[in-house]
């Protein structure tokens, strides 16, 4: 037990996968670095296209911009340190720095879920009330909903951190995880975790299940509306606009809910398998979101091809000018 509430731990050590042999450290770090680069390139490309193309200034793309920013921030919060741990054997995180990372990990994770709920609202109105879409889904409406999605989790996540920070950490300082999160950190406290762990579980489940419930309602209504469409071609078109979103939503919510619930329903996992699942559902969606949401949209594809053609044209002109200069 602790002597008061004074922590003797001055820093934490990110372990990552506890069963991973050191010979695979370079391979794992290179793979994570590749994932991080793909996330930055994919989402960064969409952000650049949005900034350059005025025709992308539409409600749906405002939602995607928020999703892209959230994905980049979440990945930047989590991946660099675990890459450094395997690449340079530097897994140390300061005591305060670990709680700062915990705050942003949970904040961006919950914001992501709320942004997906805003997206479900957009699709619900587009399919179920297409004639009123322009009047209901305005730029100002979407921007306000996105601001709310960023603001709602902040005070709740801050409360989680404030409750966890003063706990006495006076034993092990190794975090069996790829980043600092509430469960991994509070497990290291040399006191009873129940008064802190269960309320945190309830809080996280509420913030996960509430947007998930709205999303399920929205897409159930969409499916019912689509089935009432007379022609198969129109049905396929309506389903195609929602199928990719359903895949990402399933990847985001289902593993997260299961990850938070399994300790309370008597299921146990190998730590390496558990961490792998967490890393997959945390970083696979940010990596493939640009492909699913952006490249499938006709306007985004046209903007991308136009930008590539323009870049190629300027590059050829520069080469030709350089050749002409050399020949003279």
């Amino acid at each position: 037990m602790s002597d008061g509430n004074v922590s003797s731990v001055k820093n934490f050590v990110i372990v990552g996968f506890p069963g991973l042999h050191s010979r695979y450290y370079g391979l794992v770090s290179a793979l994570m670095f590749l994932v991080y680069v793909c996330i930055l390139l994919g989402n960064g490309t969409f952000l650049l296209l949005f900034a350059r193309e005025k025709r992308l200034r539409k409600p749906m793309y405002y939602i995607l911009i928020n999703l892209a920013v959230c994905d980049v921030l979440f990945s930047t919060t989590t991946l660099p340190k675990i890459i450094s741990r395997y690449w340079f054997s530097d897994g140390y995180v300061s005591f305060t720095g670990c709680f700062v990372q915990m705050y942003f990990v949970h904040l961006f994770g919950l914001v992501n879920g709320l942004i997906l709920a805003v997206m479900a609202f957009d699709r619900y109105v587009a399919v179920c009330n297409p004639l009123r879409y322009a009047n209901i889904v305005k730029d100002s409406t979407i921007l306000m909903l996105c601001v709310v999605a960023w603001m709602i989790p902040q005070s709740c996540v801050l409360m989680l951190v404030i409750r966890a920070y003063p706990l006495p950490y006076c034993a092990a300082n190794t975090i069996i995880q790829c980043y600092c999160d509430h469960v991994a950190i509070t497990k290291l406290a040399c006191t009873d975790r129940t008064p802190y762990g269960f309320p945190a579980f309830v809080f996280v489940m509420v913030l996960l299940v509430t947007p998930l419930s709205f999303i399920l309602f929205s897409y159930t209504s969409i499916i019912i509306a689509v089935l009432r469409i007379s022609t198969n071609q129109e049905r396929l078109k309506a389903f195609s606009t929602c199928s990719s979103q359903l895949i990402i939503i399933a990847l985001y919510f289902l593993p997260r809910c299961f990850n938070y619930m399994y300790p309370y329903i008597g299921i146990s996992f190998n730590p390496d398998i558990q961490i792998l699942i967490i890393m997959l559902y945390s970083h696979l969606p940010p990596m493939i979101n640009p492909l699913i949401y952006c490249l499938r949209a006709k306007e985004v594809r046209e903007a991308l091809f136009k930008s590539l053609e323009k870049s190629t044209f300027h590059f050829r002109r520069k080469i030709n000018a350089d050749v002409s200069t050399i020949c003279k």
Side-chain angles (χ1 to χ4, degrees), residues 116 119 212 215 219 239-256 280-281 284-286 288-289 292-293 296:
L116 291 176
M119 185 178 296
L212 178 59
I215 289 169
Y219 282 101
F239 273 125
S240 67
T241 62
C242 302
S243 59
S244 57
Q245 298 174 15
L246 286 172
I247 293 171
I248 294 300
I249 287 167
L251 284 174
Y252 176 84
F253 281 103
L254 296 183
R256 271 180 169 81
L280 285 175
Y281 74 62
L284 184 60
I288 64 177
N289 276 347
I292 291 181
Y293 287 134
R296 287 191 63 182

Side-chain angles (χ1 to χ4, degrees), residues 8 33 42 220 231 259:
S8 60
F33 180 75
T220 301
T231 65
N259 182 58

Side-chain angles (χ1 to χ4, degrees), residues 74-142:
F74 180 85
S75 301
T76 301
T77 300
T78 56
L79 284 175
K81 175 47 68 174
I82 189 61
I83 292 171
S84 175
R85 183 263 183 275
Y86 284 126
W87 216 327
F88 305 110
S89 299
D90 179 19
Y92 289 93
V93 183
S94 69
F95 186 87
T96 302
C98 205
F99 286 92
V100 171
Q101 187 186 50
M102 177 180 37
Y103 171 79
F104 286 115
V105 162
H106 292 292
L107 174 64
F108 297 139
L110 293 173
V111 168
N112 203 309
L114 293 172
I115 294 296
L116 291 176
V118 176
M119 185 178 296
F121 166 74
D122 174 86
R123 292 299 87 197
Y124 170 78
V125 177
V127 176
C128 299
N129 296 282
L131 298 180
R132 299 179 59 194
Y133 180 82
N135 293 326
I136 297 175
V137 184
K138 301 177 182 179
D139 290 354
S140 57
T141 303
I142 293 300

Side-chain angles (χ1 to χ4, degrees), residues 57-307:
R57 311 292 171 81
K58 296 180 180 180
M60 185 60 185
Y61 296 118
Y62 286 123
I63 300 172
L64 292 176
I65 280 295
N66 280 270
L67 190 64
V69 170
C70 189
D71 286 342
V72 169
L73 290 176
F74 180 85
S75 301
T76 301
T77 300
T78 56
L79 284 175
K81 175 47 68 174
I82 189 61
I83 292 171
S84 175
R85 183 263 183 275
Y86 284 126
W87 216 327
F88 305 110
S89 299
D90 179 19
Y92 289 93
V93 183
S94 69
F95 186 87
T96 302
C98 205
F99 286 92
V100 171
Q101 187 186 50
M102 177 180 37
Y103 171 79
F104 286 115
V105 162
H106 292 292
L107 174 64
F108 297 139
L110 293 173
V111 168
N112 203 309
L114 293 172
I115 294 296
L116 291 176
V118 176
M119 185 178 296
F121 166 74
D122 174 86
R123 292 299 87 197
Y124 170 78
V125 177
V127 176
C128 299
N129 296 282
L131 298 180
R132 299 179 59 194
Y133 180 82
N135 293 326
I136 297 175
V137 184
K138 301 177 182 179
D139 290 354
S140 57
T141 303
I142 293 300
L143 290 174
M144 181 187 68
L145 289 175
C146 289
V147 169
V148 170
W150 282 92
M151 296 301 296
I152 284 178
Q154 293 203 32
S155 58
C156 301
V157 175
L158 185 61
M159 188 59 61
L160 277 183
V161 176
I162 290 174
R163 283 175 59 84
Y165 188 84
L167 294 179
Y169 300 92
C170 50
N173 67 338
T174 54
I175 297 177
I176 310 300
Q177 178 57 285
C178 291
Y179 48 79
C180 300
D181 70 353
H182 187 272
V183 174
I185 293 178
T186 54
K187 278 183 178 179
L188 301 178
C190 44
T191 185
D192 183 12
R193 183 180 174 273
T194 305
Y196 306 93
F198 187 73
F201 162 76
V202 173
F203 150 73
V204 171
M205 290 305 297
V206 167
L207 283 184
L208 280 175
V209 172
T210 300
L212 178 59
S213 301
F214 175 76
I215 289 169
L216 292 176
F217 164 78
S218 299
Y219 282 101
T220 301
S221 302
I222 289 171
I223 291 171
I224 293 173
V226 168
L227 292 176
R228 292 174 180 169
I229 298 175
S230 57
T231 65
N232 290 332
Q233 184 177 0
E234 290 178 345
R235 287 180 185 175
L236 290 174
K237 182 179 179 181
F239 273 125
S240 67
T241 62
C242 302
S243 59
S244 57
Q245 298 174 15
L246 286 172
I247 293 171
I248 294 300
I249 287 167
L251 284 174
Y252 176 84
F253 281 103
L254 296 183
R256 271 180 169 81
C257 290
F258 179 74
N259 182 58
Y260 286 113
M261 289 177 63
Y262 84 85
Y264 298 94
I265 57 179
I267 299 177
S268 60
F269 277 107
N270 179 293
D272 292 304
I273 299 298
Q274 181 193 355
I275 293 170
L276 178 61
I277 292 172
I278 292 173
M279 293 299 286
L280 285 175
Y281 74 62
S282 296
H283 298 104
L284 184 60
M287 187 169 60
I288 64 177
N289 276 347
L291 295 175
I292 291 181
Y293 287 134
C294 304
L295 295 184
R296 287 191 63 182
K298 182 180 178 182
E299 291 173 318
V300 178
R301 289 200 307 270
E302 290 176 352
L304 179 61
F305 293 147
K306 178 182 175 182
S307 179

